[in-house]
DNA sequence: TTTT
DNA sequence: TTTT
């Protein structure tokens, strides 16, 4: 139950590969850096302008696993989640605030790229009764990205995440 | 035109009266602090839990004027806007980052309280051809809040906004 | 899983009390008739115009029970669901088509009226582990509407639904 | 201004080429048939099931022109519009009802396919000050579809629309 | 009628 | 840092 509605809908492209790590519980968490951009014509100068907005997106559980496997820098995705602002300790000892788009069991992730295009996943989807029973949509292997684009560091995607808990959130 | 979708939908209550100020151009800007909350039952302890999320909402132009006039602490509103993260100078000289929900000409504000309930405004609505021609939905006077609740500081709502540009964004 | 996004978001008022019936399985189904309206100024005549749109909303399971208990003609609600168009047999023997907004386990219902205001329910909410274990948010009794407004026919709300399967869908 | 919220968000693929016609005013109207689908596993049989939903989408003005030029059967699009149910005269003389997703000045169309991917258009976008001043995003020629896929009837896409007003709406 |  |  909730009081109020807190909903974010994004369509954009990843600026980097997903950063994925495992929680102590064994569940996965994935962080995405997602770009949306606007272009407009400046009223006075008549020049074309563009502004790119970068969104921090956090995926949990099954969606984090899907992100780890199928998403990479450049991937276009549809995201439905909610806003969460939290405090964290900065390296200078001070407290900082960051706002993220959290995609949990109530959210949605859909890949919009060519081939993979169109597969929406909901964390709480009934067709995935247990985490120990991966569906065809979520094969166990993480080592084969959906669209390689010549990337050779697929395996290292999860390696450097040990420093993901550091003070700087991204 | 834009590349991607950047959309936020909120329903929540204001935690304080809107903070409204005038831009050099004469246009108004209003800042809202909007709460949404979730309650859930902790899986392990079985206890009821609640988390309140506070959202910074920024309204421009006509919507800022409407906020100034009709909204106050406790007001329930529907908001449709977009995420914008920007940097600002903190008082300690360092740079800070804040994420806001911006409601501009493409967004929506709707008051959901009893009497005022249901009036949606879009900044770019065609029935408001010019700022100098207020509609009946936007009477010129700012001094009478829609639901007084005994508030006597209606006029002061715009007064203390001179320091709104300060380093601390809220 | 799904291919594509099919999402409807409505805020409006019920035009009549919910029509609720039980499925053979024992689950409830509730039908709402929900109004949204637009007003605009005619460009040529300058006259003020209004158009009211009536939406057929179908709720299942726990949300249907909540509708039965708490909603009535005039209630303001937030609805998140999906479009479904289906065929049915008209009384003249011909086939007709109707489009509804279906609010199932992936959807949301939130009451926006004064007192009850703000309670959002998701059908698949984890705090409601089983249908046989009603939560405090969903007391078993259906006889006490949240806001009586002097209504005395609370019990009859489910009575006349026997003809709900008829050819005319509303 | 409006009372209530009436919003539809769709991501899906066109089942046929857009049907485009000109209004007496000279403005364009485009009709899309858009598919979204869900797949799930039947709880009892364990079988995989799929249901495809077909949406009638109506675009006006500039968005209709864009649809005429750039969209075709198979195109994937993001749509933001509103529900409108209207009556029309059937060929048997009876009255029928149809529900459509109307994308007008307040709505959004974004093409999600490979190359064209990501270009969102809002009907009322300020960068298009007049219909007589087509932007680069909307070149005057209608004869060259963005992605030909060997289609040879590009020119005929607008030809057969003379019967678009017929009793059967699609 | 689309898509996977 | 993405995309066009």
């Amino acid at each position: 139950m909730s009081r109020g509605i807190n909903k974010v809908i994004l369509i954009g492209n990843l600026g980097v590969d997903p950063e994925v790590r495992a929680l102590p519980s064994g569940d996965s968490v994935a962080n995405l850096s997602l770009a949306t951009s606007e272009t407009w014509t400046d009223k006075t100068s008549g020049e074309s302008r563009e502004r790119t907005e970068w969104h921090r997106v956090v995926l949990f559980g099954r969606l984090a696993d899907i992100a780890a496997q199928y998403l990479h820098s450049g991937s276009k995705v549809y995201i439905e989640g909610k806003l969460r602002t939290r405090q964290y300790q900065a390296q200078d000892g001070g407290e900082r605030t960051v706002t993220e788009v959290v995609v949990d069991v109530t959210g949605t992730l859909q890949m919009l790229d060519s081939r993979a295009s169109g597969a929406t996943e909901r964390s709480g989807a009934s067709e995935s009764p247990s985490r120990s029973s991966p569906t065809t949509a979520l094969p166990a292997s993480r080592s084969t990205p959906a669209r390689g684009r010549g990337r050779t560091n697929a395996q290292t995607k999860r390696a450097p995440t040990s420093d993901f808990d550091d003070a700087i959130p991204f």
Side-chain angles (χ1 to χ4, degrees), chain A:
Chain A
M1 190 175 80
S2 69
R3 302 247 156 214
I5 297 294
N6 175 358
K7 181 173 292 293
V8 179
I9 290 173
L10 302 174
I11 294 178
N13 299 281
L14 304 209
V16 295
D17 288 348
E19 296 196 59
V20 189
R21 61 189 174 95
L23 293 174
S25 68
D27 281 357
S28 300
V29 180
N31 283 259
L32 311 181
S33 186
L34 188 70
T36 59
S37 65
E38 293 179 276
T39 62
W40 69 97
T41 302
D42 188 285
K43 309 162 205 170
T44 55
S45 70
E47 292 169 25
S48 185
R49 304 284 300 275
E50 174 166 7
R51 176 183 162 83
T52 295
E53 193 68 42
W54 288 98
H55 308 274
R56 294 174 47 93
V57 177
V58 188
L59 303 159
F60 291 100
R62 208 165 71 93
L63 294 183
D65 293 327
I66 290 170
Q69 250 201 303
Y70 296 108
L71 301 184
H72 54 81
S73 181
S75 293
K76 184 189 288 296
V77 295
Y78 169 94
I79 287 284
E80 191 178 327
K82 59 186 171 187
L83 288 173
R84 182 193 62 182
T85 298
R86 62 179 174 82
Q87 268 61 245
Y88 67 96
Q89 188 82 9
Q91 284 169 317
D92 65 9
E95 195 172 64
R96 296 291 186 280
T97 293
V98 62
T99 299
E100 298 161 312
V101 177
V102 173
V103 185
D104 65 7
V105 72
T106 65
T108 301
L109 167 68
Q110 173 156 345
M111 291 171 275
L112 295 175
D113 290 312
S114 49
R115 212 58 33 174
S117 186
T120 295
E121 300 292 344
R122 292 181 63 91
S123 271
S126 59
E127 73 273 19
S128 172
S130 80
R131 196 166 305 276
S132 57
S133 163
T135 68
T136 57
L138 214 198
S141 164
R142 294 163 183 277
S143 57
T144 314
R147 298 170 59 223
R149 291 208 318 185
R151 183 159 14 83
T152 60
N153 62 333
Q155 305 90 324
T156 67
K157 286 192 350 193
R158 288 177 67 89
T161 56
S162 56
D163 59 348
F164 202 83
D165 279 332
D166 287 2
I168 300 170
F170 240 69

